[in-house]
Amino acid sequence: MLVIRPARPADLDVMMELAVLSGRGFTSLPEDEATLAARLDLAEASFTGAIAPAEAWYTIMLEDTETGRVEGLAGVRAAVGLKRPHFSFRVMTLAQYSSAIGTRFDHQALVLVNECGGWTEVGSLFLRPERRSGGAGSLLARSRYMLIGAEPTRFSHTIMAELRGWFDDNGKSPFWEGVASKFFRLPFEEADRMVTSTDGQFILDLAPRHPIYVDLIDADARAAIGRVHRDGEPALALLEKEGFERSGLVDIFDGGPTMTCSAAEVATIRATRTLRLEIGDPGETQALLSTMQIDGFRSVRAAARVGETAVTITKEAADALKLSNGDAVRVSA
């Protein structure tokens, strides 16, 4: 059975392995051992409540209970942009009109903005390639919302997700090559690493302060604005199914889109009920189940017979959740 559990410092080796597998442009999962070790320490402190809720960054692991192997991971950051700005480009339309010649022009432009301060971010979703079917991705993605719904006061009313931007067949980012590199004058890998391993001062120092007219950008970079990486298309579909929409914001490095949704409108959260757990014959209908609190959070997708006040599941599913007969459990269809 696949189970979602909190990440812990002992997961460093497997997290490094997944970081290597994730490839270029997966900014939130850098191939940097010190950064990932700090992330795991922060995850442990977040789940146990050892830090302020707004500073929390929860990392969850998808584990196969039969083999003990971690098959993927995802994250929930309680609030972005509090200690340093969280910059994006907003794709805006700038209207210009000349009464002298009676002509109006509408220009699309990229404008540097800092609009996401305090929003909750879901991200870092990555699965081993052989696990990208059979519902594992859905379990991992939706468990982030079960985590948020368990204690909603710890999170923002707005949930955001930044998707990796487009890279060509040669592994290059057209947006980086055509736009961002003109300002940062660094190799993409170096800038990507600095996003997570430094305080981000270089972004404040070097990011463009004036609108960038899209018509002046080369065709490949222009086509990459808001385009999702081929490996991110399933994640985009899952976000849209939950009610997320494009915000008009794109990443300043690779041009990937930022999706947003009100926490109250996320489909998984809206469909969740709290029921009494009973162990028995669950039938064949599947449901998403999770524990009630963030500390020790666990989640599974399993056969479940859902009634008015109780849900019946197998002992195997109850053991995966570390719950017993009569305990409260959160259930989403």
Side-chain angles (χ1 to χ4, degrees):
M1 175 173 286
L2 295 175
V3 62
I4 300 295
R5 62 160 177 84
R8 44 186 180 252
D11 291 317
L12 180 58
D13 287 345
V14 72
M15 197 172 187
M16 272 296 298
E17 180 186 355
L18 294 174
V20 172
L21 286 173
S22 69
R24 298 185 76 202
F26 207 95
T27 305
S28 59
L29 198 57
E31 296 177 32
D32 185 279
E33 188 168 302
T35 299
L36 296 183
R39 181 83 51 78
L40 290 171
D41 288 340
L42 178 56
E44 184 175 54
S46 300
F47 279 105
T48 59
I51 59 173
E55 298 176 8
W57 193 342
Y58 308 91
T59 300
I60 54 177
M61 296 296 196
L62 175 69
E63 183 178 300
D64 188 322
T65 59
E66 291 186 14
T67 65
R69 188 170 88 149
V70 171
E71 304 290 355
L73 57 79
V76 179
R77 195 170 185 177
V80 302
L82 296 185
K83 290 189 174 179
R84 69 177 192 184
H86 188 93
F87 288 116
S88 308
F89 282 131
R90 175 164 287 286
V91 183
M92 302 182 70
T93 299
L94 304 180
Q96 292 180 290
Y97 175 74
S98 172
S99 59
I101 59 173
T103 301
R104 172 191 168 114
F105 292 99
D106 287 342
H107 296 281
Q108 274 202 321
L110 301 174
V111 179
L112 188 72
V113 296
N114 174 30
E115 299 181 8
C116 305
W119 292 0
T120 291
E121 180 181 22
V122 294
S124 307
L125 193 151
F126 182 76
L127 284 161
R128 296 181 186 273
E130 63 271 23
R131 277 293 189 178
R132 293 172 189 170
S133 61
S138 177
L139 169 61
L140 189 52
R142 295 184 68 202
S143 292
R144 299 174 302 181
Y145 312 125
M146 297 295 277
L147 176 73
I148 292 169
E151 298 185 45
T153 57
R154 293 195 185 200
F155 304 94
S156 170
H157 296 295
T158 301
I159 313 297
M160 62 176 281
E162 292 183 315
L163 291 170
R164 180 163 33 165
W166 179 254
F167 283 69
D168 64 21
D169 292 338
N170 296 317
K172 290 188 176 182
S173 164
F175 187 85
W176 171 264
E177 299 294 335
V179 180
S181 67
K182 312 300 183 187
F183 298 94
F184 294 103
R185 306 287 178 91
L186 294 168
F188 179 87
E189 289 80 1
E190 179 67 11
D192 192 40
R193 181 193 64 80
M194 290 177 67
V195 170
T196 51
S197 62
T198 73
D199 63 3
Q201 181 63 40
F202 79 105
I203 298 176
L204 274 171
D205 294 338
L206 301 176
R209 295 290 189 267
H210 304 288
I212 302 170
Y213 283 81
V214 171
D215 284 342
L216 301 180
I217 298 171
D218 73 67
D220 288 342
R222 191 162 62 242
I225 296 172
R227 187 177 180 185
V228 177
H229 190 283
R230 59 184 66 79
D231 292 341
E233 290 175 357
L236 173 62
L238 289 172
L239 287 166
E240 290 175 335
K241 188 175 181 180
E242 290 290 338
F244 282 75
E245 298 179 339
R246 291 176 181 264
S247 65
L249 301 173
V250 300
D251 185 82
I252 63 172
F253 286 168
D254 64 23
T258 297
M259 311 288 290
T260 57
C261 186
S262 165
E265 295 301 318
V266 173
T268 292
I269 296 175
R270 284 193 292 109
T272 301
R273 300 162 58 194
T274 299
L275 301 172
R276 186 180 71 257
L277 185 151
E278 293 182 354
I279 296 174
D281 179 9
E284 297 183 0
T285 303
Q286 298 271 312
L288 182 63
L289 306 105
S290 80
T291 52
M292 296 292 294
Q293 290 84 30
I294 284 179
D295 189 6
F297 177 82
R298 296 178 77 85
S299 178
V300 299
R301 184 164 181 83
R305 189 170 72 250
V306 180
E308 289 298 317
T309 60
V311 57
T312 304
I313 63 174
T314 64
K315 187 175 187 305
E316 180 189 15
D319 288 345
L321 291 167
K322 295 190 175 181
L323 295 177
S324 302
N325 209 41
D327 287 343
V329 64
R330 301 179 68 246
V331 183
S332 186

